[in-house]
């Protein structure tokens, strides 16, 4: 028995015991990993790092030491110790220069540390080391090339990014991620033809890899657009584990006076075209009948006017950019929404998987994406009847509900003082055609129409937004090849939004693109009195501009087809008095037009939300129609290789029906509500 006053030595802590084992070389490599994993799982990353560091210090001759350095780097990244992670990865590669995962992670760490050039160099080193082929090396080489392309694209080095991504495509043409970025890059650079098959990458594989948004810029094919969205959702969203997300039944609130709870989800609820479109809508929602939540899933922004206004306008603002898709869905579920609105669709930084968890009883596609989502969980799509007339509803998996104009605008946007033409970089004389759409929307066919217009209107100019010096020069060279003096193409530099809105008013006529037309850019032009000339196609993206032009009160500027578009543009350039009268019409009808009836839009949206809620309570929420979309995809992938330009609807549908008949003759196709109803006499089980 210890004597009075004697204190027994304290037993060593579990961590001290583990460190002693590591220090005395009594801890095997599996024990190192298991011990560190247990500590990490318990939230003790710092202790796990100490285990790794101690084992490394006293086991420097171990043949697999590089793996411990690698795991240490992962733990240090989780702790926020970026320099420590970089050092650990370099130590790993010093021991095993061919360890692909370390090359990839080191590049990512350097990129996150603001060293993009070093990141690219790191990945290039590995790409060169893996020119020979094994399955593991191929996988890591593919990831490396994709990372190089991604970082170069973000840095604006489009030519270099395209080259890296093409290497990835030829390495694995069946992997669509590299091809998705590659085709979009070529569109932004106006490199025609956009798709350039090779011995290793077929035209079909390049089409398969296009994103739905890029396809919208490539072809006016609404059936293939729907089927592409459907396949994209299956590939990139998939079917997440929803076992922890029980479907919530609709609340019974109709007629009770209780507020309807709606939420808008987007990465663009900021100073962005989508944010500009929605911020006044948020402000005008009837808060007495509607409880509005905004879920921001984008990157953090500072001193953002749009977010300031939105936060003041909604009942709940949630920053969810740092949450996983499942965590974000759970956060939305906790708010007990009745209706959830997807304002991203398949655009940059979209988080479509959040909606796959069905965190609300009703999910709506609105405002952010020009097309159908093609998922089993988007129930409704809101648009106007010009964008989606009744006969076009077969091109959408959602139930379509109508508003007066699909493009909301903010009537409070600040517009700077209008500059002179000289201040805008234009000559004082001459007719100025303009297009302020992104360069990815300019196709070879659209550019050819513009060259016809310039050729018939001597002294006129075409005013475009700059992309970069290389792309601008490419367009000038193409103009010269078409017999148009290259100096007749003038490129507007980037400018703050208020100044950009002011300067576009000095042009004479806005020329739309096809098949992906102007959206917010058309709204901007008409807001400052610049007439917009367009011709609609069949897809949402190809009809949107016509809707905006009609809503502004000048439906005569909607042309029948490409030939009518060219003829009207030439005639308007020769009749300045007519254009002056149109500008006067726009000015007179500005505040009473459907385009600027944002209070009416807010009321109509609320009416539609109540309609959706009543249907949900009655068990009548529409189920998306996805029937036969794999077949429509195969047909569309074949037909889009034959034609991407304008085609009248009757001929377009006839092509599809002909191909479907060929497939049906081989193996009967189940009926659907689109182009393949059940033939008389055929029985279906």
């Amino acid at each position: 028995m210890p004597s009075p006053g004697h204190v027994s030595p304290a037993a060593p802590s579990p961590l001290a015991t583990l460190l002693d084992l590591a220090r005395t070389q009594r801890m095997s490599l599996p024990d190192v990993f298991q011990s560190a994993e247990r500590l990490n799982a318990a939230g003790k990353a710092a202790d796990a790092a100490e285990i790794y560091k101690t084992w490394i210090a006293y086991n420097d001759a171990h043949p697999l030491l590089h793996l411990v350095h690698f795991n240490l780097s992962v733990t240090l990244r989780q702790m926020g110790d970026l320099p420590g992670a970089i050092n650990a990865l370099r130590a790993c590669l010093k021991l095993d220069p061919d360890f692909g995962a370390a090359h990839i992670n080191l590049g990512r760490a350097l990129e996150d540390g603001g060293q993009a050039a070093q990141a690219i160099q790191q990945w290039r080193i590995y790409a060169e080391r893996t020119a020979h082929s094994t399955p593991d090396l191929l996988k890591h080489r593919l990831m490396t090339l994709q990372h190089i392309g991604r970082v170069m694209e973000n840095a604006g080095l489009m030519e270099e990014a395209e080259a890296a991504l093409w290497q990835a495509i030829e390495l694995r043409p069946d992997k669509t991620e590299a091809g998705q970025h590659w085709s979009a890059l070529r569109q932004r650079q106006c490199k025609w033809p956009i798709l350039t098959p090779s011995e290793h990458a077929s035209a079909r594989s390049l089409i398969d890899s296009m994103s739905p948004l890029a396809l919208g810029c490539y072809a006016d094919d609404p059936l293939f657009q729907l089927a592409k969205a459907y396949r994209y959702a299956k590939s990139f969203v998939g079917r997440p584990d929803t076992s922890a997300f029980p479907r919530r039944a609709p609340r019974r609130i109709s007629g009770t006076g209780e507020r309807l709870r709606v939420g808008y989800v987007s990465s663009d609820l900021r100073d962005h075209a989508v944010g500009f479109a929605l911020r006044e809508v948020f402000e005008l929602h009837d808060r007495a009948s509607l409880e509005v939540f905004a879920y921001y899933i984008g990157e953090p922004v500072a001193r953002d006017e749009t977010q300031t206004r939105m936060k003041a306008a909604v009942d709940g603002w949630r920053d969810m950019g740092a949450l996983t898709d499942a965590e974000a869905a759970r956060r939305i579920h906790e708010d007990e929404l009745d209706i959830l609105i997807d304002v991203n669709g398949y655009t940059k930084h979209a988080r479509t998987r959040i909606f796959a968890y069905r965190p609300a009883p009703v999910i709506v596609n609105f405002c952010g994406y020009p097309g159908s989502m093609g998922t089993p969980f988007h129930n409704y799509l809101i648009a106007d009847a010009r964008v989606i007339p009744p006969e076009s509803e077969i091109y959408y998996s959602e139930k379509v509900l109508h508003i007066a104009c699909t493009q909301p605008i903010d009537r409070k946007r600040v517009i700077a003082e209008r500059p002179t033409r000289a201040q805008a970089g234009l000559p004082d004389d001459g007719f100025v055609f303009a297009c302020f759409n992104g360069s990815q929307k300019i196709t070879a066919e659209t550019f050819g129409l513009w060259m016809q217009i310039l050729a018939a209107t001597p002294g006129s100019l075409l005013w475009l937004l700059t992309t970069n010096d290389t792309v601008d020069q490419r367009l000038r060279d193409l103009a010269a090849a078409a017999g148009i003096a290259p100096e007749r193409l003038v490129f507007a530099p980037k400018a703050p939004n208020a100044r950009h809105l002011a300067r576009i008013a000095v042009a004479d006529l806005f020329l739309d693109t096809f098949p992906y037309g102007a959206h917010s850019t058309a709204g901007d032009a008409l807001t400052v009195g610049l007439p917009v000339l367009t011709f609609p196609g069949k897809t949402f993206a190809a009809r949107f501009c016509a809707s905006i032009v009609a809503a502004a009160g000048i439906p005569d500027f909607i042309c029948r087809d490409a030939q009518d578009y060219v003829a009207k543009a030439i005639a308007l350039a020769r009749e300045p008095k007519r254009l002056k009268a149109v500008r006067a019409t726009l000015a007179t009808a500005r505040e009473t037009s459907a385009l600027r009836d944002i209070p009416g839009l807010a009321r109509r949206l609320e009416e539609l939300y109540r309609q959706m809620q009543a249907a949900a309570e009655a068990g009548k929420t529409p189920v998306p129609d996805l029937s036969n979309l794999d077949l429509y995809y195969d047909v569309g992938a074949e037909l889009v290789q034959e034609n991407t330009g304008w085609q009248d609807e009757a001929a377009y549908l006839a092509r599809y029906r002909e191909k479907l008949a060929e497939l049906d003759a081989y193996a009967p196709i189940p009926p659907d509500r689109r182009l393949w109803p059940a033939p008389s006499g055929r029985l279906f089980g």
Side-chain angles (χ1 to χ4, degrees), residues 134-459:
T134 68
D136 282 342
L137 289 179
L138 280 175
K139 181 180 77 171
H140 288 129
R141 178 176 170 81
L142 180 68
M143 290 177 63
T144 299
L145 291 167
Q146 289 174 344
H147 282 315
I148 291 172
R150 177 181 54 78
V151 174
M152 285 183 162
E153 180 182 2
N154 290 340
L157 302 171
M158 291 191 281
E159 293 274 0
E160 295 86 347
E162 180 193 337
L165 291 169
W166 182 251
Q167 291 182 61
I169 290 169
E170 292 217 301
L171 187 65
R172 288 293 303 272
D174 58 314
K175 298 291 186 181
T176 59
E177 183 177 349
Q180 177 182 326
H181 289 276
W182 176 83
S183 57
L185 272 171
R186 287 184 64 84
Q187 286 177 327
R188 287 172 59 197
Q189 295 176 88
C190 300
K191 284 193 170 180
W192 308 318
I194 297 300
L195 303 184
T196 54
S198 71
E199 180 182 353
H200 304 291
S202 67
R204 172 61 188 263
S205 69
L206 296 177
I207 288 169
D208 287 345
S209 70
M210 293 185 88
S211 72
L213 205 60
L215 178 63
C217 296
Y218 184 72
D220 181 37
D221 189 331
L223 280 168
F224 189 44
Q225 188 76 40
L226 168 60
K228 168 66 77 170
Y230 165 73
R231 178 167 288 204
Y232 192 83
K234 287 203 301 182
S235 300
F236 288 91
V237 178
R239 184 180 177 184
D241 180 5
T242 59
S243 57
F245 291 84
R247 298 276 287 275
R248 189 165 54 77
R251 295 191 302 152
R252 301 284 175 175
I253 62 170
S254 293
T256 67
E258 189 171 348
R259 289 199 295 172
L260 193 65
R261 298 168 69 88
V262 303
Y264 293 84
V265 182
S266 179
S267 62
D268 299 325
L269 302 179
R270 54 186 172 84
D271 285 343
H272 177 278
V274 170
F276 296 151
L278 282 179
R279 59 191 185 185
E280 191 178 3
V281 174
F282 284 11
E283 290 168 342
L284 291 172
H285 268 319
D286 179 10
R287 301 276 286 280
S289 63
L290 212 66
E291 193 171 358
V292 181
F293 292 80
Y295 300 93
Y296 179 60
I297 55 172
E299 297 175 351
V301 292
R303 297 183 298 278
D304 188 280
E305 180 191 355
T306 297
Q307 285 200 355
T308 299
R309 283 177 56 182
M310 286 184 167
K311 288 176 181 178
V314 299
D315 296 276
W317 175 275
R318 312 284 189 243
D319 278 305
M320 304 201 305
L323 302 183
T324 66
D325 293 335
E327 290 168 345
R330 186 167 288 107
R331 184 70 186 87
I332 295 170
H333 189 273
E334 290 168 356
D335 283 330
E336 297 185 352
L337 298 183
D338 301 301
I339 295 166
L340 186 64
I341 301 104
D342 181 356
V343 195
N344 259 129
Y346 297 126
T347 59
K348 190 175 183 180
H349 303 310
R351 303 271 298 277
T352 311
R353 185 182 286 256
I354 291 172
F355 301 92
Y357 290 101
R358 290 183 169 89
V362 176
I363 296 175
V364 183
N365 170 13
F366 172 58
C367 191
Y369 173 69
S372 179
M373 292 298 292
T375 75
F377 43 84
H378 284 82
N379 310 106
Y380 293 96
L381 186 156
I382 298 175
D384 65 61
R386 278 191 179 269
V387 173
I388 310 178
E391 63 271 19
S392 293
E393 291 183 13
I394 61 171
Y395 305 139
Y396 300 85
S397 59
E398 306 93 335
K399 179 177 177 59
V400 177
L401 297 178
H402 287 141
I403 53 179
C405 179
T406 302
Q407 177 64 54
I409 63 170
D410 177 17
R411 298 171 301 168
K412 301 177 184 178
R413 284 177 74 182
V414 176
I415 302 174
E417 184 179 352
R418 179 171 167 171
T420 64
R421 280 197 171 181
Q423 289 170 333
L426 298 167
D428 292 329
D429 299 321
F431 192 91
V432 177
F433 296 103
C435 181
F436 302 108
N437 292 347
S439 58
Q440 74 277 8
K441 296 183 182 182
I442 304 174
T443 63
E445 292 78 11
T446 293
F447 193 78
L449 299 179
W450 291 348
M451 296 304 100
Q452 291 180 45
I453 293 167
L454 291 182
T457 54

Side-chain angles (χ1 to χ4, degrees), residues 524-547:
D524 291 346
L526 292 161
T527 292
V528 299
L530 176 62
V532 176
L533 193 69
T534 187
F535 65 97
K538 295 175 287 295
T539 62
F540 192 121
R543 300 182 65 85
F544 202 156
C545 187
S547 159

Side-chain angles (χ1 to χ4, degrees), residues 345-681:
Y346 297 126
T347 59
K348 190 175 183 180
H349 303 310
R351 303 271 298 277
T352 311
R353 185 182 286 256
I354 291 172
F355 301 92
Y357 290 101
R358 290 183 169 89
V362 176
I363 296 175
V364 183
N365 170 13
F366 172 58
C367 191
Y369 173 69
S372 179
M373 292 298 292
T375 75
F377 43 84
H378 284 82
N379 310 106
Y380 293 96
L381 186 156
I382 298 175
D384 65 61
R386 278 191 179 269
V387 173
I388 310 178
E391 63 271 19
S392 293
E393 291 183 13
I394 61 171
Y395 305 139
Y396 300 85
S397 59
E398 306 93 335
K399 179 177 177 59
V400 177
L401 297 178
H402 287 141
I403 53 179
C405 179
T406 302
Q407 177 64 54
I409 63 170
D410 177 17
R411 298 171 301 168
K412 301 177 184 178
R413 284 177 74 182
V414 176
I415 302 174
E417 184 179 352
R418 179 171 167 171
T420 64
R421 280 197 171 181
Q423 289 170 333
L426 298 167
D428 292 329
D429 299 321
F431 192 91
V432 177
F433 296 103
C435 181
F436 302 108
N437 292 347
S439 58
Q440 74 277 8
K441 296 183 182 182
I442 304 174
T443 63
E445 292 78 11
T446 293
F447 193 78
L449 299 179
W450 291 348
M451 296 304 100
Q452 291 180 45
I453 293 167
L454 291 182
T457 54
S460 64
L461 301 174
L462 178 59
W463 194 23
L464 305 171
L465 283 178
T466 186
T467 302
N468 61 34
D469 290 345
T470 302
V471 176
D472 295 352
Q473 188 57 49
R474 177 174 295 116
L475 292 176
R476 287 193 178 102
D477 292 344
L478 288 166
I484 302 298
E487 59 270 19
R488 292 178 66 188
L489 269 61
V490 180
F491 294 90
K494 292 178 173 59
N497 189 255
R499 281 175 46 202
H500 175 64
L501 284 172
R503 71 180 175 179
I504 63 180
V506 306
D508 292 301
L509 181 65
F510 187 112
L511 296 176
D512 194 21
T513 48
F514 182 87
Y516 200 124
H519 294 179
S520 60
T521 46
D524 291 346
L526 292 161
T527 292
V528 299
L530 176 62
V532 176
L533 193 69
T534 187
F535 65 97
K538 295 175 287 295
T539 62
F540 192 121
R543 300 182 65 85
F544 202 156
C545 187
S547 159
I548 297 169
V549 170
I554 53 170
D556 289 349
F557 279 62
I558 302 171
C559 305
R560 294 187 306 275
D561 51 30
Q563 291 71 37
D564 189 33
Y565 169 85
V566 171
K568 281 188 176 176
I570 295 168
L572 287 166
R574 294 171 177 171
E575 301 176 45
K577 287 184 180 179
R578 183 182 171 194
L579 267 182
K580 187 176 180 180
V582 171
R583 283 182 177 267
T585 298
L586 286 173
T588 301
R590 186 173 187 265
E591 297 307 322
T592 57
S593 68
L595 181 61
R596 294 180 70 80
D597 184 12
I598 308 307
L601 171 61
R603 298 293 82 78
R604 176 59 177 162
L605 287 173
E606 292 154 12
E607 180 184 328
L608 293 179
Y609 296 156
R610 286 191 291 270
Q611 180 179 325
M612 295 174 193
Q613 178 65 17
E617 292 178 25
K620 296 181 178 178
T621 296
V623 176
D625 181 1
L626 308 176
S627 54
N628 284 342
L629 289 184
D630 284 317
L631 278 174
Y632 283 102
Y633 184 91
D634 287 336
V635 172
E638 179 180 347
L639 293 179
V640 81
Q641 295 179 58
E642 301 171 8
N643 177 56
T644 60
W646 189 90
Q647 188 177 38
D648 74 76
E649 194 140 9
Y652 166 78
L653 293 174
R655 292 168 72 227
Y656 264 88
R657 289 191 173 102
E658 179 184 351
K659 293 292 184 183
L660 288 169
E662 292 175 7
L663 292 175
D664 183 70
Y666 178 74
I669 299 173
D672 61 56
R673 71 177 181 90
R674 295 185 173 92
L675 303 185
W676 202 251
S680 58

